[in-house]
Amino acid sequence: MPHLLHIDASARPGIAGTDNHGSHSRHLTDQFVRQWQSGHPQATVTYRDIGQNPPSIINHDWIASAFTPEERQEPWMKEALAESDQLVDELIAADIVVIGTPLYNFGMPAALKAWIDQVVRAGRTVEFDDSNPIDPYVPKLIDRERHVVVLVARGGVNMSPGEEMAHMNHLEPHLTTALQFMGITRIHYIAIEGQEVGGELLAASIAEAVGKVEVLVDELQMAFRDAPIPEPA
Ligand SMILES: Cc1cc2nc3c(=O)[nH]c(=O)nc-3n(C[C@H](O)[C@H](O)[C@H](O)COP(=O)(O)O)c2cc1C
């Protein structure tokens, strides 16, 4: 049974369509998880609301600890990495990661960047091969097929990769690079655009995104049905 990690990064706690000034990205993650669970009543979900409880920003102690080989880490170093270890464990345990995120100031919210900084970990999610100085990065999350579904909300329009205003949007390229760096290559993006425009344009974008989420859940459920996750021996 595929395990879900559900992450919400919006600073707005409510859900658009339900709560006043609610979040559009939370609306889409809520739809995804509800639909997923209605098809898989026993599906397990880990939830992280990083919008309301952001991960810590990495500091000097964190860096010193993360780049010390595990066998030489002192107790304070293990303590400095405890939060990171927890977040990495959650990522490794997931078959599907559903991330709801706004576009803030041309990129990902600080809370999502803080999560990325905590989970990109030498020895846990990526290795370094010193014999290849040009490209020493060896992703570790290639042990099984993981999908990441990124459900985005933004105020402007025409900002998907390849569109006229894409140069104002570094969220998708940045997130894709970070996920691929760890070995996750099955990445799906769906966006609601025009939150700042409102009216019919926003309504049409919401309807389109809701339809795409519905189709994606069906496709992923079918994919996992056709290629079930091997049970541990
Ligand atoms: C601090 C801040 C910065 C924002 N920066 C951008 C931006 O660079 N580009 C954009 O299209 N929209 C921007 N927006 C609009 C948000 O992307 C939009 O309100 C979106 O719906 C927020 O996601 P949410 O509905 O899940 O909270 C910004 C909003 C805030 C609050």
Side-chain angles (χ1 to χ4, degrees):
M1 174 68 59
H3 176 67
L4 244 68
L5 171 60
H6 170 186
I7 296 173
D8 278 318
S10 173
R12 303 200 285 180
I15 294 179
T18 305
D19 302 303
N20 219 5
H21 302 296
S23 151
H24 292 286
S25 57
R26 287 177 191 269
H27 172 197
L28 294 182
T29 56
D30 181 67
Q31 180 201 341
F32 186 102
V33 174
R34 278 173 194 273
Q35 193 184 330
W36 185 271
Q37 288 181 311
S38 77
H40 283 103
Q42 346 53 333
T44 50
V45 182
T46 299
Y47 183 51
R48 277 267 159 204
D49 189 344
I50 63 172
Q52 298 306 297
N53 300 293
S56 306
I57 294 175
I58 59 166
N59 58 18
H60 190 185
D61 281 356
W62 189 100
I63 296 167
S65 308
F67 289 93
T68 299
E70 202 179 343
E71 62 281 6
R72 285 203 272 123
Q73 281 173 2
E74 297 176 29
W76 69 266
M77 292 178 159
K78 295 191 190 302
E79 183 58 32
L81 294 175
E83 180 182 2
S84 170
D85 280 331
Q86 171 72 35
L87 296 174
V88 169
D89 288 346
E90 288 174 5
L91 177 59
I92 289 173
D95 302 292
I96 301 182
V97 184
V98 185
I99 301 175
T101 179
L103 175 64
Y104 284 163
N105 295 317
F106 326 110
M108 68 178 83
L112 186 53
K113 180 58 165 54
W115 181 81
I116 288 289
D117 288 344
Q118 293 284 356
V119 298
V120 176
R121 269 279 300 282
R124 297 225 52 201
T125 55
V126 63
E127 290 286 7
F128 298 95
D129 173 7
D130 294 337
S131 68
N132 183 356
I134 305 292
D135 182 2
Y137 313 115
V138 182
K140 290 201 77 176
L141 299 189
I142 48 172
D143 54 318
R144 67 176 195 274
E145 183 166 318
R146 283 185 189 78
H147 290 257
V148 175
V149 176
V150 188
L151 303 172
V152 182
R154 47 190 181 244
V157 295
N158 301 326
M159 287 190 177
S160 290
E163 293 189 320
E164 298 96 300
M165 298 304 288
H167 60 285
M168 304 285 278
N169 175 11
H170 299 273
L171 195 164
E172 284 90 340
H174 189 169
L175 201 49
T176 297
T177 301
L179 294 168
Q180 288 178 343
F181 188 70
M182 295 183 285
I184 300 174
T185 55
R186 296 166 184 87
I187 307 168
H188 315 265
Y189 288 102
I190 296 174
I192 288 176
E193 285 202 315
Q195 178 274 326
E196 284 162 2
V197 181
E200 286 180 15
L201 188 148
L202 173 61
S205 182
I206 294 171
E208 191 182 337
V210 163
K212 284 181 181 172
V213 169
E214 203 175 318
V215 170
L216 182 59
V217 173
D218 284 345
E219 283 175 358
L220 288 175
Q221 289 196 330
M222 223 136 37
F224 278 98
R225 200 172 306 137
D226 293 344
I229 298 156
E231 294 292 329

